[in-house]
């Protein structure tokens, strides 16, 4: 479903990724592992076409980085849920508004938005905080809101870039469990992490990166 | 819900940057009141000149002893001058009647005779009322046999021609300069607004929001700033009209009427300038700042 062929991104300062050829399969949970600065985030950014490869190409479902338009990139992103280490919530909006944002911007009816957001917030255990400003939440709560925002639009793919990087072990575990649950419901999840303790007991597919390239272990 | 969200964002933006917004509204108000004031002045100058051109006449006084035949010949000669649109003959008796109408006195009772000469009142085509053309026409008429004197308001014609053009030119210049200034001002407040919300814009872009969805709150913000500036301009113009009326109505029997349509024009003009400036600003700055951050 996601095909990376000789993906190369050159930032001109020695950083970037080089000749990555791999596949990510529908419904899989894939762990992208490697030290900080090895290119995991760059690979993720290519997946939601925030940056386009300098050489090689990536295809995600029917979208091809070689011939994708700006409008198609927006469509692609509407089908992908993205979770960041720094949460990237709009802090002066309420929890409800943050989670509802992907539905609001695609013009969903008010009733659907309320029902869907309520169900998701209930599922992640944050229904009682729906009216609070996102900025007033703890790190763990913020990341759960970010996950809720990522899955509210029922994406076909969830990209989680170091989602537990800023969290204590307990909150990190909660977030990881939530991602597992999302995957169990059929959504493809790709998670970049260097938190090896968190993933030591799971048998998900692992891809290792180092200095911008894939590493065979 | 999308619209509610956009409107809410607009007011959050306005509230967050309330000081620059307030400064922008006041400055737009002052600029717009000058723009509309200059516009009204230019319009007034143009219509006055237009009215003057419409009423402009050359009076051709004839020798008092001309025969009917000579008068008729002279009328034919005048008709041959292509700049002339209309010729109206005023006989001695008619001149006396006009005199009585205008001064309330019968010329025969004052002087026992009628010294008023017969005359032609001549109107030129509107485009032929330039002082140089009128001068040429007058020269030609003066040379005709039987013409004693030719009179017209030469000084007024020259003044009107000179100053109406000047007012229109200066007015247009000032209007353009102030419109550019307002555009820059609104652009700057939107730039501040976009910069303050650059992270939010980047997040929305990452979530797949379209450019229009992101830009719309800023466009509304510019529109509201412009419209409020326009309302303030209307208030200033109203005040100005009242002050002028207070100071001149005891001297001259005139009063300026502040029409409510000036409010409408000011608000609509402000809103249009606001929409135009903010949409351009939001488009150019949102990608610039959002990319800087994430």
């Amino acid at each position: 479903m996601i095909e990376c062929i000789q993906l190369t991104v050159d930032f001109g300062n020695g950083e970037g990724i080089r000749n990555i050829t791999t596949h990510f399969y529908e419904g899989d949970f894939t762990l992208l592992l490697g030290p900080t600065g090895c290119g995991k985030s760059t690979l993720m950014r290519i997946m939601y076409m925030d940056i386009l490869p300098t050489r090689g190409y990536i295809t995600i479902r029917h979208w091809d980085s070689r011939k994708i338009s700006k409008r198609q990139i927006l469509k692609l992103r509407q089908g992908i849920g993205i979770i960041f280490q720094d949460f990237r919530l709009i802090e002066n909006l309420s929890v409800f508004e943050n989670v509802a944002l992907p539905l609001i911007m695609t013009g969903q009816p008010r009733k659907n938005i309320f029902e869907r957001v309520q169900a998701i917030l209930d599922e992640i255990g944050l229904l009682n905080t729906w009216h609070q400003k996102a900025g007033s939440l703890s790190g763990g709560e913020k990341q759960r809101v970010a996950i809720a925002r990522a899955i509210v639009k029922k994406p076909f793919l969830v990209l989680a870039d170091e989602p537990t990087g800023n969290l204590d072990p307990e909150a990190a575990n909660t977030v990881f469990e939530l991602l597992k649950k999302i995957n169990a419901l059929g959504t493809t999840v790709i998670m970049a992490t260097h938190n090896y303790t968190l993933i030591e007991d799971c048998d998900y597919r692992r891809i290792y990166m180092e200095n911008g390239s894939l590493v065979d272990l | 819900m999308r619209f509610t969200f956009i409107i809410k964002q607009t007011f959050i933006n306005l509230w967050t940057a309330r000081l620059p917004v307030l400064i922008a509204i006041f400055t737009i108000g002052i600029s717009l009141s000058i723009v509309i004031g200059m516009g009204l002045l230019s319009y007034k100058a143009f219509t006055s000149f237009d009215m003057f051109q419409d009423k402009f006449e050359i009076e051709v006084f004839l020798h008092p002893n001309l025969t009917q035949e000579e008068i008729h010949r002279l009328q034919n000669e005048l008709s041959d001058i292509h700049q002339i649109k209309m010729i109206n003959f005023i006989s001695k008796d008619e001149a006396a009647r006009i005199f009585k109408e205008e001064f309330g006195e019968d010329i025969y009772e004052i002087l026992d005779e009628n010294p008023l000469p017969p005359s032609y009142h001549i109107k030129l085509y509107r485009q032929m009322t330039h002082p140089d053309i009128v001068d040429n026409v007058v020269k030609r008429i003066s040379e005709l046999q039987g013409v004693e004197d030719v009179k017209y308001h030469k000084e007024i014609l020259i003044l009107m021609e000179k100053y109406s053009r000047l007012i229109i030119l200066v007015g247009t210049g000032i209007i353009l300069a102030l419109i550019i200034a307002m555009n820059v001002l609104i652009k700057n407040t939107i730039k501040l607004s976009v910069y303050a919300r650059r992270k939010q814009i980047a997040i929305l872009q990452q979530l797949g929001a379209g450019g229009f969805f992101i830009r719309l709150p800023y466009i509304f913000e510019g529109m509201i700033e412009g419209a409020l500036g326009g309302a303030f301009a209307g208030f200033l113009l109203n005040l100005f009209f009242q002050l002028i009326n207070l100071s001149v109505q005891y001297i001259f029997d005139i009063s300026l009427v502040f029409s409510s349509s000036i409010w409408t024009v000011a608000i609509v003009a402000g809103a249009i300038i606001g929409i135009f400036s903010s949409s351009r600003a939001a488009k150019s700055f949102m990608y610039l700042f959002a990319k800087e951050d994430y």
Side-chain angles (χ1 to χ4, degrees):
Chain A
M1 167 203 117
I2 299 177
E3 194 180 27
C4 305
I5 307 292
Q6 292 185 322
L7 268 186
T8 301
V9 172
D10 186 4
F11 289 126
N13 53 358
E15 290 180 7
I17 55 172
R18 278 177 292 280
N19 282 322
I20 291 183
T21 298
T22 189
H23 296 81
F24 297 88
Y25 301 103
E26 193 102 26
D28 267 10
F29 195 128
T30 309
L31 295 165
L32 209 50
L33 306 171
T36 306
C38 69
K40 301 189 293 288
S41 294
T42 305
L43 186 57
M44 290 251 172
R45 285 177 70 190
I46 295 174
M47 285 181 196
Y48 63 92
M49 309 254 179
D50 190 35
I51 44 176
L52 292 172
T54 324
R55 277 199 313 276
Y57 64 92
I58 182 168
T59 57
I60 303 169
R61 290 201 163 171
H62 59 278
W63 290 287
D64 186 328
S65 65
R66 290 167 296 183
K67 46 192 175 191
I68 194 161
S69 67
K70 279 185 180 173
R71 194 178 288 268
Q72 285 173 322
I73 290 176
L74 297 181
K75 279 275 163 217
L76 165 74
R77 287 185 192 170
Q78 285 167 14
I80 301 177
I82 313 166
I83 303 158
F84 301 95
Q85 181 177 353
D86 56 356
F87 326 121
R88 296 195 192 174
L89 299 176
I90 300 174
E91 305 234 320
N92 61 355
L93 293 186
S94 69
V95 167
F96 173 84
E97 286 168 321
N98 266 288
V99 177
L101 211 46
L103 303 177
I104 291 172
M105 66 197 198
T106 50
Q108 300 283 321
R110 180 184 291 263
K111 191 170 169 270
N112 289 7
I113 295 176
F114 271 95
E115 283 173 3
R116 179 84 184 127
V117 174
Q118 212 167 13
I120 300 267
L121 286 176
D122 196 19
E123 206 174 306
I124 62 165
L126 285 177
L127 192 56
N128 57 337
T129 65
W130 70 275
H131 60 279
Q132 282 183 34
K133 293 269 183 257
S136 70
L137 302 176
S138 69
E141 286 172 328
K142 279 182 184 173
Q143 197 56 295
R144 276 148 71 196
V145 172
I147 291 174
R149 184 183 63 186
I151 60 171
V152 74
K153 55 192 174 185
K154 297 181 181 166
F156 65 88
L157 169 69
V158 168
L159 298 173
D161 189 5
E162 302 276 6
T164 60
N166 281 347
L167 306 179
D168 59 64
E170 196 186 326
N173 208 44
T174 311
V175 165
F176 190 43
E177 287 306 317
L178 269 171
L179 289 173
K180 283 186 195 170
K181 214 163 142 185
I182 293 163
N183 175 249
L185 292 168
T187 310
T188 311
V189 177
I190 301 173
M191 177 172 129
T193 186
H194 56 261
N195 186 345
Y196 295 102
T197 326
L198 186 73
I199 55 163
E200 63 187 359
D201 293 332
C202 67
D203 55 355
Y204 295 136
R205 179 186 171 211
R206 293 164 190 228
I207 293 177
Y208 292 91
M209 287 185 75
E210 213 173 273
N211 295 326
S213 304
L214 296 187
V215 183
D216 289 323
L217 289 177
Chain B
M1 186 127 192
R2 187 155 50 164
F3 189 68
T4 320
F5 177 81
I6 287 167
I7 295 295
K8 193 179 167 188
Q9 284 303 300
T10 304
F11 284 99
I12 289 175
N13 290 355
L14 285 167
W15 182 248
T16 313
R18 51 195 177 277
L19 188 64
V21 165
L22 216 61
I23 292 169
I25 289 170
F26 275 98
T27 324
I28 290 164
I30 293 165
S31 311
L32 208 54
S33 61
I34 299 171
V35 166
I36 293 171
M38 282 309 294
L40 286 173
L41 194 66
S42 302
Y43 177 71
K44 195 84 190 157
F46 182 75
T47 45
S48 300
F49 186 57
D50 204 47
M51 251 169 61
F52 178 75
Q53 277 180 319
D54 224 31
K55 287 185 177 170
F56 177 74
E57 272 188 352
I58 298 171
E59 283 180 292
V60 180
F61 295 103
L62 312 179
H63 284 296
N65 304 325
L66 286 186
T67 61
Q68 278 301 317
E69 204 176 294
E70 282 169 325
I71 290 171
H72 191 71
R73 178 190 44 81
L74 196 60
Q75 178 151 357
N76 284 342
E77 283 174 351
L78 287 170
S79 306
D80 286 344
I81 301 173
H82 72 272
Q83 289 93 338
I84 294 176
K85 183 184 169 191
M86 219 166 73
I87 304 166
N88 189 20
F89 179 67
I90 310 283
S91 66
K92 279 176 78 73
D93 289 344
E94 217 171 330
R97 189 184 54 77
I98 295 169
F99 182 86
K100 194 176 179 186
E101 257 177 35
E102 285 182 3
F103 300 103
E105 302 274 356
D106 191 339
I107 192 94
Y108 290 104
E109 281 175 15
I110 304 168
L111 300 170
D112 288 332
E113 58 166 346
N114 179 8
L116 300 171
S119 61
Y120 278 114
H121 284 205
I122 289 170
K123 280 195 172 193
L124 301 182
Y125 285 104
R126 187 181 285 252
Q127 65 271 30
M128 298 298 173
T129 52
H130 187 276
D132 294 345
I133 301 174
V134 175
D135 243 12
N136 274 335
V137 173
V138 167
K139 203 174 162 196
R140 262 186 84 180
I141 295 172
S142 306
E143 285 164 0
L144 295 175
Q145 210 179 357
V147 172
E148 194 172 68
D149 196 10
V150 182
K151 284 197 183 318
Y152 71 102
H153 295 297
K154 187 176 180 177
E155 295 76 20
I156 300 179
L157 189 69
I158 292 170
L159 275 176
M160 289 293 262
E161 174 72 23
K162 192 175 160 187
Y163 287 106
S164 64
R165 273 175 198 279
L166 192 72
I167 289 170
I168 292 167
L169 267 172
V170 172
T172 313
I174 293 175
I175 288 170
L176 281 176
L178 289 173
I179 286 176
I180 293 168
M182 282 188 282
N183 175 37
V184 170
L185 207 74
I186 294 175
K187 219 171 154 178
N188 273 337
T189 30
I190 298 299
K191 189 176 176 179
L192 282 176
S193 222
V194 171
Y195 186 76
R197 311 207 150 263
R198 62 198 184 282
K199 284 190 179 180
Q200 176 171 334
I201 292 171
I203 291 167
L204 288 169
Q205 286 171 341
Q206 281 157 357
L207 293 176
F212 195 58
F213 177 82
I214 299 172
R215 281 202 308 273
L216 217 47
Y218 300 100
I219 295 172
F220 281 150
E221 186 186 331
M223 186 185 78
I224 291 170
E225 269 174 30
L228 288 177
F232 184 55
F235 167 77
L236 287 177
L237 282 167
N238 193 359
L239 203 72
F240 178 70
F241 274 45
Q242 280 180 19
L243 281 174
I244 291 285
N245 282 343
L246 268 177
S247 50
V248 298
Q249 71 180 359
Y250 297 110
I251 308 165
F252 310 107
D253 190 22
I254 55 159
S255 71
L256 293 169
V257 182
F258 181 82
S259 152
S260 61
S261 59
I262 295 178
W263 283 95
T264 319
V265 169
I267 292 171
V268 171
I272 290 172
I273 294 169
I275 291 171
F276 177 75
S277 317
S278 59
S279 57
R280 287 188 59 199
K283 197 171 187 173
S284 48
F285 297 129
M286 74 179 213
Y287 293 107
L288 184 75
F289 294 146
K291 276 284 169 203
E292 271 177 17
D293 231 66
Y294 287 125

